[in-house]
Amino acid sequence: ASAHQNRIRLDVTDNGIGIAGRELPRIFDKGFTGSNGRQYGNTTGIGLYLVKKLADHLNVDITASSGAGDYTTITLFFPAKAFLTEM
């Protein structure tokens, strides 16, 4: 975690199979499973969709980057205390 432009940035990185670059823009879409999901099965395409909905509700920005076959990083940008408001 680190300070980043009046926000707190939290990077969470795995060392899994990664996500193809062409699929990254859709990973937060409801029902999207991508080529990995179709290959390995047992996916619903709902998990990252719900994460994005919750993040939006909490005023947290979320992004993803990945190296196919190498890693995926999910980055969360939390409002710094001075910028928090009651919900």
Side-chain angles (χ1 to χ4, degrees), residues 12-29 32-40 43 47-49 62-75:
V12 180
T13 302
D14 70 15
N15 59 353
I17 58 175
I19 301 167
R22 69 184 180 284
E23 295 178 349
L24 275 174
R26 296 191 57 211
I27 65 169
F28 297 111
D29 292 352
F32 181 73
T33 59
S35 57
N36 290 338
R38 289 186 295 279
Q39 181 177 354
Y40 297 106
T43 61
L48 289 175
Y49 166 77
I62 184 169
T63 62
S65 61
S66 187
D70 193 20
Y71 74 94
T72 299
T73 298
I74 301 294
T75 302

Side-chain angles (χ1 to χ4, degrees), residues 49-62 87:
Y49 166 77
L50 292 174
V51 167
K52 175 76 168 114
K53 292 298 254 183
L54 181 59
D56 289 347
H57 182 72
L58 296 172
N59 196 30
V60 173
D61 292 328
I62 184 169
M87 296 165 85

